[in-house]
């Protein structure tokens, strides 16, 4: 729907950020339903809302009008494979991002139980998603001079820094406030990851590459949830796990910095000037 690359970049940021609205309302609604009734009611409402949302997407005019257009590769030969080192390393790094999110989910449950405040689980998740929404709005409205790979690495470093205050085991109010910071930079990381994927993916394989991107985050999220669940009784370890996932993501991105740039991109740097006067005409 948006052929212009700059608008597409902004739209991806807004798409990621506005999903925060769902995670602001959703956890609060689930916590309220579970407290007022029981978890089964919350699960049923979740299923009904998910089905309704899927129906709206399927019946929306853009979905019904869209038709797959054969790419140049499919017309004149096999389409390129999704095996470039840059793409593979990007997907590996995103498992660390997902790991941090999954570990955060268990950590928020643990802190709610420690302070015997059921609503704290929904409030912490809502604060994280509020940061994500605000980050998407700010990032999508600006034009950035740095390359997408540089923005991805910087945002990942900020994402890691946002988790560090949790290691101090802050009080509920401080934890709720601090959790909005990594949420804000999560939007930037995901938006830049989408743009990087688009730039590194062969023609005709973009949708598949996006699916792998989402899968990478989901795999990491599952791993983070599983490990954090086993260590939930250890408060400090539970608080450290989100930062560990973010650190892994940043380390992989730093190692893959050159591979994340599209082919033909020449990084800025110092260039040798031709020596004047070397070849003089008589």
């Amino acid at each position: 729907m948006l052929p212009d690359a700059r608008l597409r970049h902004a739209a991806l940021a807004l798409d990621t950020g506005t999903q925060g609205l769902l995670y602001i309302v959703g956890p609060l609604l689930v916590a309220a339903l579970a407290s007022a009734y029981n978890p089964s009611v919350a699960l049923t409402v979740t299923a009904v809302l998910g089905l309704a949302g899927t129906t709206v997407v399927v019946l929306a005019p853009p979905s019904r009008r869209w038709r797959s257009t054969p790419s140049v590769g499919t017309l004149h030969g096999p389409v390129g494979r999704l095996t470039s080192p840059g793409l593979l390393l990007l997907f590996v790094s995103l498992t660390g991002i997902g790991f941090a999110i999954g570990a955060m989910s268990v950590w928020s449950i643990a802190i709610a139980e420690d302070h015997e405040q059921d609503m704290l689980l929904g409030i912490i998740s809502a604060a994280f998603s509020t940061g994500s929404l605000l980050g998407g709005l700010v990032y999508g409205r600006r034009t950035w001079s740095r390359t997408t790979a540089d923005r991805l690495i910087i945002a990942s470093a900020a994402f890691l820094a946002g988790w560090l205050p949790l290691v101090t085991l802050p009080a509920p109010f401080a934890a709720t406030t601090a959790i909005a910071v990594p949420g804000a930079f999560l939007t930037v990381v995901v938006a830049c990851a989408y743009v990087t994927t688009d730039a590194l993916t062969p023609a005709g394989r973009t949708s598949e590459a996006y699916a792998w991107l989402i899968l990478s985050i989901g795999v990491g999220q599952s791993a983070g949830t599983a490990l954090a669940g086993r260590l939930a009784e250890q408060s400090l370890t539970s608080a450290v796990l989100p930062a560990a996932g973010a650190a892994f993501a940043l380390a992989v991105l730093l190692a893959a910095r050159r591979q994340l740039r599209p082919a033909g991109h020449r990084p800025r740097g110092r260039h040798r000037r031709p020596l004047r006067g070397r070849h003089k005409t008589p």
Side-chain angles (χ1 to χ4, degrees), residues 4 16 24 32 41 48 54-56 61 92 110 140 147 158-159 174 277-278:
D4 182 86
T16 305
I24 294 170
V41 174
V48 171
T54 302
T55 303
V56 170
V92 170
T147 65
F159 182 71
R278 175 171 291 183

Side-chain angles (χ1 to χ4, degrees), residues 12 15-16 19 23 82 87-88 90-99 101-102 186 189-191 193-195 197-198 201 205-223:
L12 287 169
D15 173 66
T16 305
Q19 287 183 45
Y23 295 104
L82 295 178
L87 271 180
L88 294 177
L90 174 63
F91 295 156
V92 170
S93 72
L94 291 176
T95 62
I97 300 297
F99 185 95
I101 300 172
L186 171 66
V189 170
V190 175
Y194 269 112
V195 175
T197 299
D198 184 62
T201 302
R205 304 294 294 271
T206 304
S207 296
E208 182 183 354
Y210 285 166
W212 280 107
L213 185 154
I214 297 171
L215 177 63
S216 300
I217 297 176
V219 169
Q221 192 168 353
S222 299

Side-chain angles (χ1 to χ4, degrees), residues 27-45:
L28 294 175
L29 178 62
V30 167
L33 290 173
S35 298
Y37 301 98
N38 56 66
S40 297
V41 174
L43 183 61
T44 301
V45 172

Side-chain angles (χ1 to χ4, degrees), residues 44-120:
T44 301
V45 172
T46 299
V48 171
L49 291 176
L51 179 61
T54 302
T55 303
V56 170
V57 172
V58 170
L59 298 180
S63 297
R64 290 187 285 108
R65 289 196 303 262
W66 184 83
R67 294 293 181 274
S68 177
T69 303
S71 65
V72 175
T74 58
L75 292 175
H76 301 285
V79 182
R81 297 180 179 179
L82 295 178
T83 55
S84 70
L87 271 180
L88 294 177
L89 290 171
L90 174 63
F91 295 156
V92 170
S93 72
L94 291 176
T95 62
I97 300 297
F99 185 95
I101 300 172
M104 181 211 70
S105 300
V106 178
W107 168 82
S108 61
I109 295 173
I111 194 173
E113 291 180 347
D114 290 343
H115 293 85
E116 298 182 349
Q117 300 178 24
D118 293 341
M119 284 299 294
L120 189 59

Side-chain angles (χ1 to χ4, degrees), residues 60-278:
S63 297
R64 290 187 285 108
R65 289 196 303 262
W66 184 83
R67 294 293 181 274
S68 177
T69 303
S71 65
V72 175
T74 58
L75 292 175
H76 301 285
V79 182
R81 297 180 179 179
L82 295 178
T83 55
S84 70
L87 271 180
L88 294 177
L89 290 171
L90 174 63
F91 295 156
V92 170
S93 72
L94 291 176
T95 62
I97 300 297
F99 185 95
I101 300 172
M104 181 211 70
S105 300
V106 178
W107 168 82
S108 61
I109 295 173
I111 194 173
E113 291 180 347
D114 290 343
H115 293 85
E116 298 182 349
Q117 300 178 24
D118 293 341
M119 284 299 294
L120 189 59
L121 169 61
I123 292 173
I124 289 176
S125 299
F128 182 78
S129 301
T130 299
S132 179
L133 172 62
L134 296 177
L137 292 174
V138 172
Y139 181 72
R141 288 179 59 87
R142 292 194 58 183
T143 301
W144 305 90
S145 58
R146 290 182 176 272
T147 65
T148 303
D150 289 341
R151 292 198 300 270
L152 177 60
I153 292 174
I154 293 172
S156 298
F159 182 71
L160 167 59
W163 293 112
L164 297 181
L166 301 186
V167 179
T168 63
L169 303 178
F173 177 78
T176 302
T177 303
I179 206 71
V181 177
F185 288 101
L186 171 66
T187 297
V188 184
V189 170
V190 175
C192 289
Y194 269 112
V195 175
T196 303
T197 299
D198 184 62
L200 297 177
T201 302
R205 304 294 294 271
T206 304
S207 296
E208 182 183 354
Y210 285 166
W212 280 107
L213 185 154
I214 297 171
L215 177 63
S216 300
I217 297 176
V219 169
Q221 192 168 353
S222 299
T225 302
L227 182 59
R230 296 185 65 87
L231 301 175
E233 296 182 357
Q234 304 178 28
S235 300
L236 180 59
T237 304
S238 180
V240 168
L241 286 179
F248 172 80
L250 178 60
V252 174
L253 289 174
L254 287 173
R257 186 170 185 172
R258 293 187 177 181
Q259 288 88 346
L260 294 177
R261 294 189 175 94
H265 174 80
R266 298 184 63 182
R268 295 179 180 180
R270 298 177 63 182
H271 302 280
R272 179 183 297 179
R273 295 182 179 181
L275 298 177
R276 297 181 179 179
R278 175 171 291 183

